[in-house]
Amino acid sequence: MLLRVSGLQKSYSVPVLTDFDFELRSGEVHALVGSNGAGKSTFARILSGLTQPDGGQMLRDGSPYAPKSKGEAEASGTVMVLQELNVIGTLSVAENLFLNRLPHRAGWISGGNLRRLATEALARVGLKKLEPDMPAGELGVAHQQLIEIAGALSRNCKVLILDEPTAALTDPEINQLFENVKQLQRQGVGIIYVSHRMEELRRIANRITVMRDGRRISTHDNASVTPAELVREMVGHDLPTRPPARQKNIGAPALEVRNLASGERVKDVSFSVRSGEILGIAGLIGSGRTETLRAIFGADAETQGEVLVRGNLMNIRRPDDAVRAGIALVPEDRKQHGLLLPKSVRFNSTLATLDQHANRAGWLDEDAEEKTTSELGAKMKLRCGSNAQPVAELSGGNQQKVVMARWLARDCDILLFDEPTRGIDAAAKDLIWELLRELASAGKAVVMVSSELPELLSLCDRLLVMCEGRISAEFTPDEWSPEKVTQAAFAQHLQKTSIAS
């Protein structure tokens, strides 16, 4: 047995892992599933030396295994790709790939060797055209995720931990990743695959372990279990039947964007979204989806064009201008752009409504903040020890709920959601989908970016497709199909190929 874990324990303000057992074989993909807060990421962090357990035993190839740091774990052959990115934006792509193992000669870094190794590593994940010397901070979340994966694949590892590796990726990148995973399996590498995407598990996993409340509930051979059975074990009961489609009452345009441009990623984008409408935006990695939402919200300096709210031209230069105009943004990267991690659940949930929680003397009313936070937490089914718990201690899914709760408290009329269900379990995904429907039914204008095409097709009233910074197509429900959307996402690429030939 490559890895055997028994009786693993870990607590913060509440228990996170309790008597957890797990086994991994050489050449196996062993999937780990569970609701947000089940303990999956904590277990992965313990294996990779980022977190120390409170008790239990771990064996690697029959010998005691207890890494005290990430470097110690990697030296022993255990490599992890975190769900939350660890890219250093001020360093180059190449430097991020080989940060702890830069090629050198006589104490000097060999730039030529570094670029060559980086180019080879990037090619493995389909990024052979990416410039190794460019600052990693200039890339979007999806490209940064692929850099993390490329760095892991370039190591000589025995155990590879992939924590939601495809959350920001589109189908071509996922297919490339799976080919790399199969190659590692043939080399005898054991792979722990953490994911909420059931369709991926059917394709890639040999065995699946279900976690709930920090415990191992069951382990199945992939061929012997259905997605419905896995979900039932994850949440402890069947999911409620999804309600019928909402009655749509779409009104006048709430948000209009005219000739929007931002840097090299957004080029002459124009569209509108009406009150009561859910507008989806699809596209490949790097198509400009995220940058479009950030430009509307005033998050990037190099923005040109017009943004109108209910027919009135807005001067949005910074995010606070957008908030005053009634616009909210739930960002793709919640840790870097959405949360103050050391601060409490209460602080983060009420950050956008400080003026509403001040007393007559101008001081914050902590009782009022606590009441608002508790009400929002109940609505979002937030799992935390208390409202005073630091957000950094919550699972990724519960952190996402805190970001969304903040804007529910603000009651903005226009809501921009960038990958709102990224890294979210099945039950939480249903909750967020229903929340989006409720917001639209209440007359809010909702714009939603997602890499999951079925999600967009099931939720949206209209769908825009972006390609290389421009809108390449627009579809209504009676017009779209997965094939048409995919073709539109590749439109500029296909045109260039046709011209070149």
Side-chain angles (χ1 to χ4, degrees):
M1 191 63 63
L2 179 60
L3 174 71
R4 177 174 280 116
V5 175
S6 57
L8 203 62
Q9 308 273 353
K10 182 63 183 179
S11 294
Y12 292 107
S13 55
V14 295
V16 182
L17 290 175
T18 305
D19 293 327
F20 180 68
D21 299 334
F22 183 82
E23 291 183 345
L24 178 67
R25 302 164 183 159
S26 297
E28 173 187 40
V29 175
H30 194 145
L32 203 57
V33 300
S35 299
N36 294 117
K40 307 183 301 297
S41 292
T42 299
F43 170 53
R45 290 176 65 86
I46 289 173
L47 287 179
S48 58
L50 293 170
T51 299
Q52 297 304 306
D54 297 332
Q57 183 184 50
M58 297 189 292
L59 300 175
R60 267 276 308 276
D61 293 319
S63 299
Y65 175 72
K68 302 300 181 185
S69 67
K70 181 181 179 184
E72 187 176 325
E74 290 178 347
S76 73
T78 299
V79 179
M80 177 179 180
V81 177
L82 288 162
Q83 176 186 351
E84 305 302 340
L85 301 176
N86 198 33
V87 169
I88 301 174
T90 53
L91 297 182
S92 70
V93 170
E95 289 166 336
N96 272 278
L97 285 169
F98 295 94
L99 184 59
N100 297 322
R101 48 205 173 104
L102 294 169
H104 61 276
R105 179 178 299 174
W108 296 90
I109 295 174
S110 174
N113 284 336
L114 177 59
R115 282 188 289 275
R116 177 181 58 79
L117 292 171
T119 300
E120 292 173 358
L122 292 170
R124 293 189 68 180
V125 294
L127 295 180
K128 61 183 178 181
K129 294 183 179 180
L130 190 66
E131 175 54 53
D133 293 327
M134 75 178 299
E138 295 181 6
L139 300 174
V141 169
H143 277 104
Q144 291 185 11
Q145 182 79 69
L146 287 171
I147 289 172
E148 295 255 24
I149 293 170
L153 295 177
S154 68
R155 294 179 179 273
N156 182 23
C157 64
K158 297 180 180 177
V159 175
L160 176 62
I161 306 165
L162 298 174
D163 188 3
E164 295 287 355
T166 64
L169 307 184
T170 52
D171 287 345
E173 290 80 25
I174 293 172
N175 291 335
Q176 180 77 55
L177 172 62
F178 284 3
E179 285 301 315
N180 285 316
V181 167
K182 291 174 182 176
Q183 182 177 345
L184 291 173
Q185 284 184 268
R186 290 191 288 269
Q187 297 169 4
V189 176
I191 298 160
I192 299 174
Y193 193 91
V194 181
S195 180
H196 292 118
R197 297 185 172 186
M198 294 296 171
E199 68 280 5
E200 289 183 6
L201 303 186
R202 306 303 293 180
R203 290 176 58 188
I204 200 70
N206 301 112
R207 288 191 296 162
I208 303 172
T209 286
V210 179
M211 295 182 69
R212 187 172 74 239
D213 298 330
R215 299 177 183 272
R216 185 183 72 87
I217 301 302
S218 62
T219 297
H220 303 276
D221 288 331
N222 190 358
S224 66
V225 66
T226 67
E229 290 170 332
L230 292 173
V231 170
R232 188 180 308 116
E233 290 180 345
M234 286 165 57
V235 301
H237 55 77
D238 290 323
L239 288 179
T241 302
R242 186 169 296 168
R246 64 187 173 90
Q247 184 174 357
K248 299 174 184 178
N249 185 19
I250 296 176
L255 172 70
E256 295 177 77
V257 175
R258 298 176 181 172
N259 308 118
L260 193 69
S262 181
E264 297 180 356
R265 294 294 181 88
V266 182
K267 306 169 185 176
D268 195 27
V269 169
S270 300
F271 66 86
S272 67
V273 56
R274 298 173 177 271
S275 297
E277 182 181 32
I278 301 177
L279 176 69
I281 302 181
L284 302 175
I285 291 174
S287 63
R289 302 168 303 168
T290 290
E291 291 79 7
T292 295
L293 297 195
R294 287 177 57 84
I296 295 169
F297 197 63
D300 293 322
E302 302 177 11
T303 298
Q304 299 174 340
E306 297 180 341
V307 175
L308 290 81
V309 174
R310 304 201 182 283
N312 299 312
L313 182 63
M314 297 288 114
N315 183 26
I316 298 176
R317 292 291 175 261
R318 305 185 309 179
D320 55 344
D321 296 330
V323 174
R324 281 193 291 271
I327 302 173
L329 170 64
V330 175
E332 180 182 24
D333 189 340
R334 53 182 167 260
K335 281 200 169 184
Q336 185 173 350
H337 300 134
L339 295 165
L340 294 171
L341 295 173
K343 296 295 185 180
S344 67
V345 171
R346 184 179 71 192
F347 182 94
N348 278 277
S349 297
T350 59
L351 191 58
T353 52
L354 296 178
D355 54 337
Q356 299 175 21
H357 294 102
N359 59 27
R360 293 181 179 179
W363 296 93
L364 287 176
D365 185 338
E366 292 187 358
D367 290 338
E369 284 189 313
E370 183 71 16
K371 182 174 182 292
T372 297
T373 304
S374 295
E375 290 173 351
L376 292 170
K379 180 178 180 62
M380 297 299 298
K381 297 182 180 178
L382 180 68
R383 295 182 60 182
C384 61
S386 73
N387 292 334
Q389 185 177 2
V391 167
E393 295 182 1
L394 303 184
S395 68
N398 282 301
Q399 289 176 353
Q400 182 77 332
K401 291 179 182 180
V402 171
V403 179
M404 297 182 74
R406 176 189 305 156
W407 297 118
L408 293 183
R410 183 76 189 184
D411 196 27
C412 294
D413 286 334
I414 300 164
L415 299 111
L416 313 177
F417 291 94
D418 194 355
E419 303 284 5
T421 63
R422 177 175 176 249
I424 299 293
D425 65 73
K429 185 175 288 190
D430 263 17
L431 184 149
I432 290 176
W433 286 353
E434 184 54 28
L435 173 64
L436 297 180
R437 294 187 181 101
E438 288 178 6
L439 290 169
S441 295
K444 310 294 186 184
V446 177
V447 182
M448 175 185 176
V449 165
S450 177
S451 297
E452 295 191 41
L453 189 54
E455 179 173 66
L456 291 171
L457 299 185
S458 68
L459 282 174
C460 298
D461 302 300
R462 267 189 308 134
L463 184 65
L464 305 179
V465 184
M466 292 193 68
C467 179
E468 295 197 351
R470 304 178 187 275
I471 294 174
S472 59
E474 178 177 343
F475 298 104
T476 58
D478 58 345
E479 297 171 334
W480 65 44
S481 68
E483 293 76 19
K484 289 182 179 179
V485 174
T486 301
Q487 185 175 23
F490 280 96
Q492 295 295 326
H493 306 283
L494 294 173
Q495 184 178 15
K496 289 180 180 178
T497 302
S498 175
I499 292 174
S501 61

